[in-house]
Amino acid sequence: MSNEDETKNQQEQAPQSDKPTRKSIPVWAATVGMAVTLVLGGGIGYGAFAIHNAQQATTTTAVPAEMNKVVKAYATISQNYYQSTSSQKLINGAISGMVNSLKDPYSVYLQNQDATSLNTEISGSFGGIGATMEQRSSGVFVESVNADSAAKKAGVQAGDQIVSVDGKSVTKQSLNKIVAKVRGKIGTKVTVGVKRGGHTMTFTMKRAKVTVASITGKLDSTNKQVGIITFTTFTDNSGKEMKKVVKKLRQEGAKKFVLDLRGNPGGVLDQALAIDSMFLKNGQTILKVKSRTGAAEVYKAGKKYDDGFKITEPTVVLIDGDSASAAEITAAALNEQANVPLLGQKSFGKGTVQTVADMGGGNELKLTIAKWLTPNGTWINHKGIQPTEKVDNPSYANIPAITVTSMKEGDANKSVKSLQRALNALGYDAGTANGYYSSTVTAAVKAFQSKEGLTATGEANEDTISELVTKVSAKISDNDTVMKAALTKVEGMQ
C-alpha cells in the first residue's frame, strides 16, 4: 500500500519502499508499497544522526597487514580471470563482502540507485510532476493534482488515465512501475500521455522538487476535540511538520491527541529527538546512546531540540509489530517519561543506530555504530516495547502478502491461502483457508468479480487482486479496533 491512501493510490513521486503496512492496512496490501527496500516497515528501520558526523566519511584508520591478501586477490582476479572485469566491480564486491560478514541487516553498502533512494527517503523530497495516482481495475489514473505543480501547469487533470511515459505504452504496467518512470531527477523532463474522454493527449513537464509530508493530522470524525496525528516515517522535515500539524489541530479545537506510530519504520533520529522533546519537560531523558567504547551519551529534552514548542495535552500512542527504530524511541520516551499510554501490539524491536558514510562515486556505507537505550536504560533490540494496553486487530488485518499476480483453479501456494482469507473476510465463501484453489474458490472469485464489475472468469488476475486489496483495506479502516480503543482511552484522560 502507499503511504497516502487505503485505496491503492500514491504520489507519482513517492513510491518509497516495499513497506508492508500502512496504518490499519494489512501486510498483503503492499502491492503498491515503497521503492526503498532498505527501510522496511517492521524490519529495517533507519536511524541517522550526528554521532561521529553522520553523512560524512569515517575517519581513516591504520590498514592491517592482512589487507595485503585483499590486494593480492584483486590483482590475481583482474589479471587472470578468463573474462575482463572492471576494477570498480571488484572493489564494490570487496566492500560488500566486508559489510556482509558483519551479519547485520542494518549495515549495508549502498550503490548508485540504492544510495539515491535512501537519501530520498531521509529528505522526504524528490523529483516529480506533483500528481497522485491510483490503481483501478482498468488502469492507473490521476487521483489528484497538487496546486502549483508541473502537472497542474501542464494541464493534467484528476481522472486522466496514464497510458504512456516518454512515448512508451504503460497501459499494462502496474502503479509501481508507472510511478518509477514518471519520477526522476529534479530539472529533467518527462512526457506523460493520458486518455481523457476518449481522447489521448500528451504533456511534457519538467520534474520539480516535491515534498511529501511524513506527519499528517485530522480531527476525529465523532469527537472534534481529539486530533489524530499519523506518522509514516521520520524525515528531515518531521519536526517542522509536527509543529505545523499540532498548531492547526489546536486551532480547529483539538484538546487531546492520538499519535499513530503503527507501521512506522523509523527514520532520522534527530527529528525523533525534536518531536519527543515537545512532549517532555526540559531536562528529562529522551534516550541514551552507547557506542562500543565509553559511557552512554544521554540526550535530554530542551529548547535545543524543540525550540520551546511544547505539547502538554493528554496523549495516547499507538504501536504495532511494524513500529521500529525512531518510532520505538518516541513510544518509549513518551511512556517512560510522560506516562503516555501505549496501545496496540508489541513493537518490532530495533535498538541500534546507523550512520551513513560517503564512499564516493555515488556510493554510501550505512553502518551500525551504536545501540540506543530507553530512558530507563532498557535495550529493546529483538524484544520490542510492550504496549501498556494490548489491543489486537481483526484477524483479516494480518493476512500475509499475495506475492503473485494471478491465480487459477488447481494452484496451491501461500498466496492462494491469503486470497481465501481475504474473500472470506468480505463475506464470500472461499472455504477453509488451506492454500488450494478449488472450485469453491473459483466460485467465490466469480461472485466477487461480478459484484465489482470485473469480468467474471473465476481466475484471480491482477485487476481482481487489486480490487480485493482495496475492499479489504477499506474494511480494516472501518473496523480499526486499536484506534477505537485509543479514542475511548484518550477521551477519559484529563
Side-chain angles (χ1 to χ4, degrees):
M1 268 342 239
S2 77
N3 287 338
E4 322 317 324
D5 196 278
E6 297 103 347
T7 56
K8 220 177 163 163
N9 71 7
Q10 75 178 176
Q11 291 273 354
E12 46 69 40
Q13 61 277 39
Q16 298 172 19
S17 85
D18 304 294
K19 182 174 180 178
T21 58
R22 180 196 174 274
K23 308 300 171 284
S24 306
I25 302 304
V27 171
W28 60 278
T31 52
V32 189
M34 302 170 68
V36 178
T37 57
L38 300 170
V39 190
L40 300 177
I44 307 178
Y46 177 79
F49 75 119
I51 302 178
H52 306 300
N53 197 9
Q55 304 262 7
Q56 299 298 319
T58 55
T59 303
T60 301
T61 59
V63 178
E66 289 82 357
M67 283 298 292
N68 287 331
K69 295 179 181 178
V70 178
V71 177
K72 289 180 180 179
Y74 168 82
T76 301
I77 295 171
S78 62
Q79 295 174 19
N80 299 290
Y81 187 61
Y82 84 103
Q83 290 181 337
S84 62
T85 183
S86 71
S87 60
Q88 194 60 54
K89 182 178 181 180
L90 294 177
I91 292 169
N92 286 337
I95 296 173
S96 295
M98 282 191 285
V99 175
N100 292 339
S101 72
L102 300 175
K103 299 187 183 303
D104 175 11
Y106 310 117
S107 294
V108 187
Y109 181 49
L110 306 172
Q111 301 177 52
N112 302 320
Q113 186 59 44
D114 285 338
T116 300
S117 296
L118 177 60
N119 292 330
T120 292
E121 178 72 12
I122 294 170
S123 68
S125 61
F126 15 75
I129 63 173
T132 301
M133 299 179 186
E134 64 178 343
Q135 182 83 57
R136 300 179 188 173
S137 59
S138 55
V140 173
F141 291 77
V142 176
E143 193 269 338
S144 63
V145 180
N146 298 349
D148 297 323
S149 65
K152 182 75 172 180
K153 295 174 182 177
V156 177
Q157 297 179 8
D160 288 348
Q161 181 180 3
I162 308 297
V163 295
S164 67
V165 178
D166 288 333
K168 297 182 180 179
S169 174
V170 295
T171 55
K172 295 183 179 180
Q173 294 187 9
S174 66
L175 177 61
N176 261 355
K177 291 183 178 179
I178 295 176
V179 167
K181 292 178 185 296
V182 173
R183 174 183 163 188
K185 185 177 180 181
I186 295 173
T188 59
K189 292 183 178 180
V190 61
T191 300
V192 177
V194 306
K195 183 180 290 186
R196 182 190 303 165
H199 301 284
T200 300
M201 55 194 74
T202 60
F203 303 96
T204 298
M205 295 157 279
K206 182 181 290 188
R207 298 181 178 98
K209 180 179 179 179
V210 181
T211 300
V212 174
S214 62
I215 299 175
T216 56
K218 65 178 181 180
L219 294 179
D220 176 51
S221 58
T222 57
N223 187 341
K224 300 300 183 181
Q225 290 189 337
V226 178
I228 299 173
I229 302 176
T230 301
F231 292 62
T232 56
T233 185
F234 289 79
T235 70
D236 284 337
N237 305 308
S238 294
K240 294 179 180 179
E241 290 173 3
M242 185 66 175
K243 291 181 183 179
K244 182 178 180 181
V245 167
V246 170
K247 287 179 178 179
K248 180 175 182 293
L249 290 174
R250 282 172 172 169
Q251 291 174 351
E252 294 173 350
K255 299 185 183 302
K256 302 178 180 182
F257 296 113
V258 174
L259 307 188
D260 195 345
L261 296 175
R262 291 175 296 173
N264 187 313
V268 183
L269 187 52
D270 61 5
Q271 296 300 297
L273 292 173
I275 292 171
D276 298 351
S277 183
M278 297 175 192
F279 288 89
L280 305 184
K281 296 178 181 178
N282 290 346
Q284 285 188 306
T285 297
I286 302 174
L287 84 158
K288 302 173 183 178
V289 176
K290 193 176 190 314
S291 62
R292 69 182 185 186
T293 59
E297 187 171 359
V298 180
Y299 291 79
K300 297 184 177 183
K303 191 173 182 180
K304 65 177 291 187
Y305 292 122
D306 58 39
D307 293 325
F309 183 82
K310 295 293 185 180
I311 302 171
T312 58
E313 290 89 343
T315 300
V316 170
V317 170
L318 309 187
I319 58 173
D320 65 6
D322 293 316
S323 303
S325 193
E328 292 176 295
I329 289 170
T330 296
L334 271 59
N335 176 245
E336 293 182 6
Q337 298 291 67
N339 201 32
V340 171
L342 307 179
L343 271 67
Q345 302 93 45
K346 184 181 73 170
S347 66
F348 176 75
K350 178 182 179 294
T352 57
V353 177
Q354 287 69 47
T355 191
V356 178
D358 183 0
M359 302 296 287
N363 302 328
E364 295 175 338
L365 175 61
K366 182 164 77 77
L367 184 69
T368 299
I369 59 171
K371 62 182 182 181
W372 67 266
L373 311 175
T374 71
N376 291 344
T378 302
W379 193 33
I380 59 95
N381 207 45
H382 302 308
K383 299 176 183 177
I385 299 170
Q386 292 288 351
T388 53
E389 186 174 328
K390 189 175 186 297
V391 184
D392 289 322
N393 290 314
S395 60
Y396 51 81
N398 301 309
I399 300 175
I402 293 178
T403 58
V404 298
T405 57
S406 64
M407 292 170 277
K408 63 182 184 303
E409 192 166 326
D411 288 348
N413 53 55
K414 293 180 179 179
S415 289
V416 173
K417 186 174 182 178
S418 293
L419 174 70
Q420 290 173 298
R421 290 182 62 183
L423 288 166
N424 288 334
L426 294 175
Y428 299 91
D429 182 11
T432 302
N434 57 10
Y436 178 67
Y437 206 120
S438 64
S439 58
T440 301
V441 178
T442 299
V445 171
K446 278 186 177 181
F448 175 77
Q449 290 169 329
S450 295
K451 184 174 181 179
E452 300 304 325
L454 303 171
T455 303
T457 62
E459 295 185 6
N461 58 16
E462 190 171 357
D463 286 345
T464 300
I465 294 171
S466 172
E467 194 65 27
L468 194 67
V469 167
T470 299
K471 296 301 180 184
V472 175
S473 297
K475 182 171 183 177
I476 294 169
S477 182
D478 292 338
N479 296 277
D480 190 343
T481 55
V482 181
M483 181 60 75
K484 290 178 180 178
L487 292 171
T488 300
K489 184 79 173 179
V490 78
E491 285 170 358
M493 296 171 62
Q494 299 297 326

